[in-house]
Amino acid sequence: MENSRQQMINFKKTAKESTINTYMRSLEQLTRYMGKKDLDYLKDAQSVLEFMDTMKNKSGAPITDSTKKSYLNAIIVLLQSQEAPNESLIKEYLKPRDAYNEKYAKAQLDSKISEKQKPNFANMDELQQLLDNMKQDIKERKLFQKDNLNRDERAVVKAYIMFHFLIDLPIRNELAGIKLIAKREYNKLSDDDKKNDNYIINSRPNFVISLGDYKTNKLHGVKLFIINKKNEVLLKKWFKIMDIKKGDVIFELSRTDLSNLLINQSKKYLGKRISTTMIRKARASVNVETKKEQESLADIMTHKVGTHAEIYTKEL
């Protein structure tokens, strides 16, 4: 597997380390599910594709098209990175991958929430209800007053802080692995360091979030956003609970784990599986009156204004 990683790094010279890691996790997971010890099985594309159609997630439901596409993207990049790429084999994987892309693109052109998404779509009132329910539970259990939290208690507090933060600043999963840094130290970072990581800057009068490692960073570059006082207070409570110092990782989890945390906790407190994508859809679906407001929200979500209408703005 390590040789495969290096091949992909050499092939995708401009790819972020997190992207290569995602490819590798997908390959390792698929290899494990198929009961294989090496990657030779990828030479039989038909068997791989047939197996993917039978795969189930942890709840026993068929894996999503998005998950299949992730596996296919990893396979394609690996095969393309070979010294002598097998173009015929690559095409066998490209065909279903492109079909999933086309299916997704068509679905986004519909302004209505899909039947699959409808049970878990939450409007802003429901997101506020989620926060209220979690806040009440945290208050009753006095979780912010405890010195040591168990695993379940940490999950509740962490998810509450993240939901509170993301509803105000609807970024993707960039809170995963984000680091706390002093303003003076941040100013000393090289441009590459700022581009390749995400930080919460401990500055005055407000904390600031710096996004460099995110999906559309090549288009938008490093983005800086002010964190409001309510979220700053919650973050400071988390720092105290977890004894987080400047230079530490604030939320020690992967982006996949962040999604799972939010989905599991929202299911528990609201009965809906809410991820960062659903939060972004909810925020984008709120009517904004002026072009300036549209541009501001698009800026926070690190995409173009037109992307609202194509992908995120939805109605029931």
Side-chain angles (χ1 to χ4, degrees):
M1 283 284 187
E2 191 55 39
N3 288 338
S4 299
R5 173 190 290 274
Q6 192 57 50
Q7 284 177 348
M8 286 194 283
I9 291 173
N10 294 338
F11 175 70
K12 303 277 284 186
K13 295 185 185 299
T14 60
K16 296 174 287 186
E17 183 179 355
S18 60
T19 301
I20 299 297
N21 289 340
T22 298
Y23 290 148
M24 289 305 301
R25 280 195 297 270
S26 293
L27 288 171
E28 289 165 359
Q29 189 177 65
L30 182 60
T31 302
R32 186 169 63 253
Y33 284 158
M34 291 194 68
K36 306 295 184 180
K37 294 184 179 180
D38 55 44
L39 297 171
D40 284 346
Y41 69 93
L42 295 177
K43 295 175 183 177
D44 187 352
Q46 184 176 347
S47 293
V48 174
L49 295 173
E50 288 177 353
F51 180 82
M52 285 172 55
D53 284 337
T54 68
M55 290 178 67
K56 310 282 186 183
N57 60 25
K58 290 182 180 179
S59 64
I63 62 171
T64 64
D65 289 349
S66 177
T67 300
K68 292 178 185 177
K69 191 170 70 171
S70 296
Y71 288 140
L72 291 170
N73 281 333
I75 293 170
I76 290 165
V77 171
L78 175 64
L79 294 177
Q80 289 174 332
S81 70
Q82 303 294 312
E83 189 172 339
N86 184 331
E87 297 298 338
S88 177
L89 180 60
I90 292 171
K91 286 180 181 178
E92 289 188 68
Y93 288 109
L94 279 171
K95 185 176 180 180
R97 194 283 306 273
D98 291 347
Y100 289 130
N101 281 340
E102 185 177 352
K103 181 180 177 182
Y104 176 80
K106 286 181 178 178
Q108 302 317 307
L109 293 175
D110 189 347
S111 64
K112 292 186 178 294
I113 288 290
S114 69
E115 289 301 316
K116 183 176 180 181
Q117 292 176 327
K118 199 172 286 186
N120 294 308
F121 183 77
N123 59 33
M124 292 303 295
D125 288 339
E126 289 173 302
L127 290 179
Q128 185 58 53
Q129 186 62 55
L130 169 64
L131 290 179
D132 292 344
N133 293 346
M134 297 186 78
K135 182 178 180 180
Q136 183 62 31
D137 187 38
I138 289 170
K139 182 178 179 180
E140 290 176 359
R141 295 160 69 182
K142 299 181 180 179
L143 299 187
F144 280 135
Q145 283 73 51
K146 287 190 175 183
D147 293 327
N148 294 300
L149 301 180
N150 62 35
R151 184 177 179 180
D152 172 68
E153 292 169 338
R154 283 197 305 273
V156 173
V157 172
K158 186 190 298 183
Y160 174 69
I161 293 170
M162 285 183 170
F163 275 125
H164 206 285
F165 187 101
L166 292 165
I167 290 169
D168 181 60
L169 289 173
I171 59 177
R172 296 179 181 86
N173 287 8
E174 289 84 14
L175 287 179
I178 198 165
K179 298 173 183 176
L180 178 64
I181 191 170
K183 183 178 181 181
R184 182 179 298 177
E185 295 306 312
Y186 179 81
N187 290 338
K188 292 178 183 177
L189 293 177
S190 67
D191 288 343
D192 283 343
D193 285 335
K194 292 177 182 177
K195 289 176 184 176
N196 293 325
D197 224 329
N198 301 316
Y199 304 91
I200 286 181
I201 306 168
N202 189 337
S203 59
R204 293 181 181 178
N206 298 93
F207 278 13
V208 173
I209 184 169
S210 168
L211 299 178
D213 182 12
Y214 63 96
K215 186 176 180 180
T216 53
N217 64 346
K218 288 184 175 62
L219 181 63
H220 299 288
V222 175
K223 305 295 293 184
L224 297 171
F225 301 108
I226 292 173
I227 297 172
N228 69 31
K229 283 299 180 182
K230 288 184 178 180
N231 283 317
E232 182 176 324
V233 169
L234 287 173
L235 284 168
K236 286 179 177 178
K237 289 182 178 181
W238 180 250
F239 299 164
K240 182 178 179 182
I241 291 169
M242 301 302 295
D243 192 29
I244 291 170
K245 304 289 193 299
K246 292 168 187 173
D248 291 347
V249 173
I250 298 172
F251 298 113
E252 192 79 63
L253 77 176
S254 70
R255 296 188 183 196
T256 300
D257 289 338
L258 184 150
S259 288
N260 291 334
L261 173 69
L262 298 184
I263 287 169
N264 291 336
Q265 293 299 319
S266 58
K267 182 70 175 176
K268 176 180 175 182
Y269 286 96
L270 193 66
K272 295 190 175 187
R273 296 162 56 84
I274 299 171
S275 63
T276 53
T277 299
M278 281 300 174
I279 295 173
R280 288 161 68 83
K281 287 180 185 294
R283 280 295 311 271
S285 297
V286 175
N287 290 330
V288 285
E289 299 298 329
T290 68
K291 183 178 179 182
K292 185 175 181 180
E293 289 174 324
Q294 292 175 352
E295 290 173 344
S296 176
L297 183 55
D299 189 44
I300 293 169
M301 295 175 71
T302 59
H303 63 214
K304 297 177 181 178
V305 174
T307 305
H308 273 355
E310 290 181 10
I311 295 179
Y312 289 103
T313 304
K314 300 293 180 181
E315 60 186 52
L316 289 172

